[in-house]
Amino acid sequence: MPITRLTKPDSKFRLDDVSTDPPRDATKQEAAERLKELGEELLELQELMWGARTHSILIVLQGRDAAGKDGAIKNVVGALNPRGVTVSSFGVPTKEEREHDFLWRIHRQAPRAGEFAIFNRSHYEDVLVVRVHDLAPKALWGERYGHINDFEELLAEHGTIVIKFFLHISKKEQEKRLLEREENPSTAWKLNVNDWKEREHWDEYTEAYDEVFRRCSAKHAPWYIVPADAKWYRNLVVAETVAETMREYRDGWLKTLERNGKAGREELDEYRRSRGGRNKG
Ligand code: AMP
Ligand code: MG
């Protein structure tokens, strides 16, 4: 699968150069079959990570309104054991949150060893919406790219596997989805005039995102640009990417589990031996 993966700073990257469509040869039918396999694999990998407790996963989801962040989350989480998965949504900061530094509310939701944390929006809003709408002085948000890089490095050093997705939709697809919401009573709760207002800032958001991808891409915290005009392809790319990332840790987790299992059995044996003479049974 041709995935746009950014693993280092690149001052030339342009979001507009990346297609929002699935590749020509991808089919919905094949994607559905593959997605089923991936679901099983993800569950197995999750169990290994849970048991080994050496790593955790942080999935960051960013995208414009109607890009499908909720749908992508539902799809990944649906494959997992809900024990050990938390989903956090970051909206307009509360008063208490505004009275702290921008990473305060984010860091508290970082995953524990063995667990998954999924972020619906994230610390990146503080260099996106904040930048586009002048919600803080440039002197403040301009320093945040560096803080974000340091923060993600800290997480990675602690064993957190950081995977960042940008769900990439076209302006036309966004319009279609926003209009659909108005027609369908079951999605009308999502209606938000703000989405149409934000749409008027499309190009400014593109610039803000370009800067994010140019400056906040790292090997330990890569960005994946997901063509998201087709929901089935978006779901496939996200699941495939998470599985592919976790697969590299599989052997290590298995070794840890074997070692821990052996230590556990030895402890049990010793306990039984110590009771050997007395109170048997
Ligand atoms: P939604 O994800 O549609 O529920 O909307 C959440 C809203 O909160 C979006 O419009 C975000 O841009 C906004 N938001 C998230 N983080 C921040 C932030 N740090 N500062 C200001 N607005 C934010
Ligand atoms: Mg919204």
Side-chain angles (χ1 to χ4, degrees):
M1 199 188 305
I3 302 178
T4 306
R5 174 197 286 118
L6 308 171
T7 55
K8 56 176 189 297
D10 170 2
S11 62
K12 298 219 171 52
F13 178 82
R14 290 181 69 240
L15 190 55
D16 282 344
D17 292 341
V18 183
S19 172
T20 57
D21 288 320
R24 251 176 257 273
D25 57 350
T27 69
K28 201 170 171 176
Q29 165 80 29
E30 275 173 10
E33 286 162 20
R34 180 71 188 134
L35 205 50
K36 198 160 165 283
E37 290 171 4
L38 285 168
E40 287 163 22
E41 187 184 2
L42 280 173
L43 185 60
E44 194 216 330
L45 288 164
Q46 182 195 12
E47 294 299 307
L48 298 180
M49 180 174 79
W50 171 266
R53 288 278 200 289
T54 51
H55 294 85
S56 60
I57 299 219
L58 171 60
I59 297 177
V60 170
L61 281 160
Q62 285 288 156
R64 304 178 197 263
D65 293 301
K69 295 185 289 293
D70 279 316
I73 290 170
K74 193 163 73 183
N75 189 65
V76 173
V77 174
L80 300 171
N81 182 338
R83 174 208 64 192
V85 181
T86 57
V87 179
S88 306
S89 297
F90 296 99
V92 179
T94 62
K95 181 166 178 287
E96 189 184 22
E97 287 169 349
R98 271 185 281 117
E99 288 171 350
H100 291 85
D101 70 84
F102 79 108
L103 290 172
W104 180 75
R105 64 173 183 164
I106 308 288
H107 206 163
R108 315 166 72 176
Q109 306 299 334
R112 293 181 174 196
E115 300 193 4
F116 269 83
I118 302 179
F119 285 2
N120 182 346
R121 302 188 191 270
S122 65
H123 41 300
Y124 283 99
E125 291 294 326
D126 291 279
V127 287
L128 292 164
V129 65
V130 169
R131 168 178 166 149
V132 169
H133 290 289
D134 274 326
L135 302 180
K138 183 170 183 186
L140 196 64
W141 62 253
E143 293 300 318
R144 288 181 176 163
Y145 301 93
H147 293 313
I148 288 174
N149 287 339
D150 290 344
F151 171 60
E152 292 178 354
E153 196 176 328
L154 172 70
L155 295 180
E157 279 174 12
H158 196 70
T160 299
I161 301 161
V162 183
I163 311 174
K164 301 178 294 191
F165 293 107
F166 174 74
L167 305 183
H168 188 30
I169 54 167
S170 62
K171 203 169 178 185
K172 203 163 145 231
E173 178 66 21
Q174 187 196 47
E175 181 178 30
K176 185 174 148 247
R177 290 185 189 180
L178 292 178
L179 289 172
E180 269 168 14
R181 285 180 181 180
E182 294 179 33
E183 319 252 295
N184 187 345
S186 73
T187 53
W189 64 272
K190 294 186 186 177
L191 288 182
N192 187 345
V193 63
N194 212 30
D195 292 348
W196 290 96
K197 290 186 188 163
E198 287 297 85
R199 187 175 154 80
E200 289 170 25
H201 298 282
W202 186 274
D203 292 337
E204 290 154 83
Y205 271 105
T206 304
E207 273 173 37
Y209 268 114
D210 275 347
E211 180 121 2
V212 160
F213 302 136
R214 289 172 183 191
R215 297 180 63 180
C216 300
S217 297
K219 199 151 179 279
H220 58 262
W223 271 109
Y224 294 87
I225 313 298
V226 182
D229 275 0
K231 295 174 183 174
W232 57 268
Y233 188 69
R234 169 201 76 204
N235 287 343
L236 177 65
V237 172
V238 170
E240 189 82 70
T241 303
V242 176
E244 199 177 285
T245 305
M246 293 180 80
R247 220 175 276 143
E248 288 187 30
Y249 295 86
R250 191 174 191 282
D251 290 349
W253 290 336
L254 270 173
K255 277 205 190 90
T256 302
L257 287 169
E258 275 162 26
R259 207 170 39 239
N260 293 353
K262 197 164 158 254
R265 276 192 302 277
E266 279 167 9
E267 199 180 343
L268 253 179
D269 284 347
E270 188 165 332
Y271 168 70
R272 291 196 177 115
R273 265 198 305 277
S274 73
R275 285 172 53 103
R278 298 168 275 159
N279 309 328
K280 253 192 205 153

